[in-house]
Amino acid sequence: MSSASDFKRLHEGSGPLVIPNPWDVGSARILASLGFKALATSSAGMAFAYGLGDGKVAPDQVLAHCRQLVGATGLPVSADLENGFADSPEGVAETIHTFAGTGLAGGSIEDSTGRPETPIYDFDHAVERVAAAAEMAGKVAGGFVLTARAENFLNGRPDLDDTIRRLQAFEAAGADVLFAPGLPDLDAIRTVCAEVTKPVSVMMGIPGRTFSVDELAAAGVKRISTGPALARAAYTALIAAAEEINDSGTFDFAVKALGSSKIVERFGG
């Protein structure tokens, strides 16, 4: 059974698939050792590792990052492919083709442009981009699970009706999983899940919008990712430790830190 078919099957269980987002090989191997069934890249987490902001990593670096994470564990990996690194449907399709060659089990395409003045693609164009991505995903040997993202709520457009309209159109265009990050509450999440038939993914770890796995399961969610939350937690601990050294000249942070051998154990064989 291919990695993509394994990944698709994981969305069909009775409860949500929790899919954490590592930012490098070490974090991927640690998460695999903890029993997670699949992994996803994070555009922001990856960017932090390069010392950059989200969306500032060049596509060839993203490609290399995906190849590293695919090779880090035996788990299916889904990639955050941002807006497909292209405006045109043809360009998005080419991105799916290129990145599928790394062995990814799937990937997501956003309807956000990356341009503050016009942050979201027009409806028809957004649907055309997903359709092109889905057509190419269907040609990938072994399969490719396509997630289509409606980005309104992360771009200052809290329009639930338009978000649902987009997700329904993305579903009709061939997307396997639907994702609207930043939905404000469980009622909105529940409404989205009720208005589509494909699995719905949500991202947890956004401050003020954190719900439990049980709450999300009851709302109808089939996949839960962490986005950059784990990378943020790691970098927060690093910053706090460095500030302790600078501000007080102490090293108390190391008392609670795992020993090197314990960390290496988590990397596996």
Side-chain angles (χ1 to χ4, degrees):
M1 186 176 290
S2 74
S3 178
S5 59
D6 287 344
F7 187 46
K8 190 170 186 178
R9 176 179 51 78
L10 288 170
H11 293 78
E12 299 168 356
S14 57
L17 167 66
V18 180
I19 177 170
N21 301 69
W23 59 94
D24 60 12
V25 169
S27 58
R29 289 180 176 170
I30 288 171
L31 292 168
S33 79
L34 291 169
F36 291 99
K37 303 301 184 183
L39 303 172
T41 72
S42 162
S43 62
M46 171 193 61
F48 298 162
Y50 285 112
L52 298 170
D54 193 7
K56 302 300 183 182
V57 181
D60 60 339
Q61 290 179 291
V62 180
L63 184 66
H65 176 75
C66 290
R67 189 174 288 113
Q68 285 184 324
L69 290 196
V70 167
T73 77
L75 298 180
V77 177
S78 182
D80 180 346
L81 298 177
E82 304 178 42
N83 73 341
F85 312 113
D87 289 320
S88 70
E90 296 79 10
V92 173
E94 181 60 28
T95 292
I96 297 296
H97 173 74
T98 299
F99 278 77
T102 66
L104 287 165
S108 63
I109 296 294
E110 305 170 358
D111 64 355
S112 59
T113 67
R115 295 184 286 272
E117 65 278 9
T118 54
I120 302 295
Y121 289 109
D122 290 343
F123 178 85
D124 289 342
H125 188 62
V127 175
E128 289 171 2
R129 285 162 38 85
V130 171
E135 182 179 2
M136 181 58 71
K139 297 176 181 178
V140 174
F144 188 91
V145 178
L146 177 67
T147 299
R149 297 175 49 148
E151 299 282 304
N152 278 335
F153 280 85
L154 294 187
N155 287 276
R157 290 178 39 158
D159 186 334
L160 185 60
D161 288 341
D162 182 63
T163 296
I164 291 171
R165 177 177 175 239
R166 286 169 178 266
L167 293 177
Q168 289 173 333
F170 296 163
E171 178 177 4
D176 300 299
V177 179
L178 304 167
F179 187 12
L183 293 173
D185 51 45
L186 283 171
D187 284 341
I189 293 170
R190 189 177 297 108
T191 299
V192 166
C193 292
E195 293 293 333
V196 297
T197 63
K198 293 291 181 66
V200 171
S201 180
V202 300
M203 180 171 64
M204 287 293 100
I206 299 175
R209 302 178 193 178
T210 297
F211 314 106
S212 71
V213 172
D214 288 345
E215 288 174 321
L216 293 168
V221 170
K222 299 302 292 184
R223 187 169 95 195
I224 303 168
S225 65
T226 60
L230 292 175
R232 286 174 39 233
Y235 280 98
T236 297
L238 170 64
I239 291 167
E243 287 178 341
E244 179 194 337
I245 297 170
N246 274 339
D247 295 344
S248 66
T250 61
F251 301 86
D252 293 342
F253 68 88
V255 175
K256 294 183 179 180
L258 289 175
S260 296
S261 62
K262 293 293 185 182
I263 294 173
V264 171
E265 285 176 11
R266 291 294 186 180
F267 292 154

